[in-house]
Amino acid sequence: MPGVQIVCDSTADLEPEFRDAHGIRVVRLKVIFGEQVLEDGVSVLPDELYRRMRAGEKARTSQPTPAEFEAAYRSVPVGTAIVCTTISADLSGTFASAEQARAAVPDREITVVDTRTAAVGHNAVV
């Protein structure tokens, strides 16, 4: 039986050990400081993000593109159902990107879930 693959965005703040143990695919938001674009959880970790913000730097985020979600969906073996969880649609356009990507892969069983939360709440849903 092929099973189910979880895909989530990086706002779930998964511990790497948990993510790896369960094979969860993560689609990352971007964190932007001025002209510097960093990948959430890769080129900027939470400690550095919060340190920079406390020091007065203004950060903004950018949602993943539909193409990034589509690539994550296509990386899942054919026949495996996909459940994708995202940060609240009220906080970000990430859910819309995940939905657009779902529509681009009509031959796959993909359910996109708006967790209606972020961070700890999103983590709990995953």
Side-chain angles (χ1 to χ4, degrees):
M1 179 185 280
V4 176
Q5 172 68 54
I6 297 174
V7 173
C8 68
D9 71 57
S10 59
T11 67
D13 291 331
L14 300 178
E15 290 293 328
E17 299 79 15
F18 178 85
R19 180 197 63 220
D20 295 345
H22 297 284
I24 299 169
R25 287 174 170 76
V26 178
V27 180
R28 301 197 176 275
L29 277 75
K30 308 322 176 275
V31 177
I32 305 162
F33 287 101
E35 298 298 314
Q36 185 181 28
V37 179
L38 305 167
E39 199 170 3
D40 181 30
V42 175
S43 52
V44 65
L45 299 175
D47 288 346
E48 178 186 355
L49 172 67
Y50 299 131
R51 179 189 57 75
R52 289 177 73 167
M53 290 174 66
R54 279 191 300 273
E57 290 188 66
K58 303 285 187 235
R60 56 192 172 95
T61 60
S62 178
Q63 70 199 41
T65 66
E68 291 170 306
F69 277 104
E70 184 178 341
Y73 298 160
R74 291 188 185 281
S75 73
V76 174
V78 173
T80 302
I82 300 167
V83 174
C84 176
T85 64
T86 71
I87 186 173
S88 173
D90 292 337
L91 300 174
S92 171
T94 300
F95 175 79
S97 288
E99 276 285 293
Q100 288 175 24
R102 182 188 58 75
V105 192
D107 57 324
R108 304 297 298 274
E109 182 183 345
I110 303 169
T111 302
V112 181
V113 178
D114 175 356
T115 65
R116 310 280 302 151
T117 189
V120 174
H122 187 180
N123 184 295
V125 171
V126 174

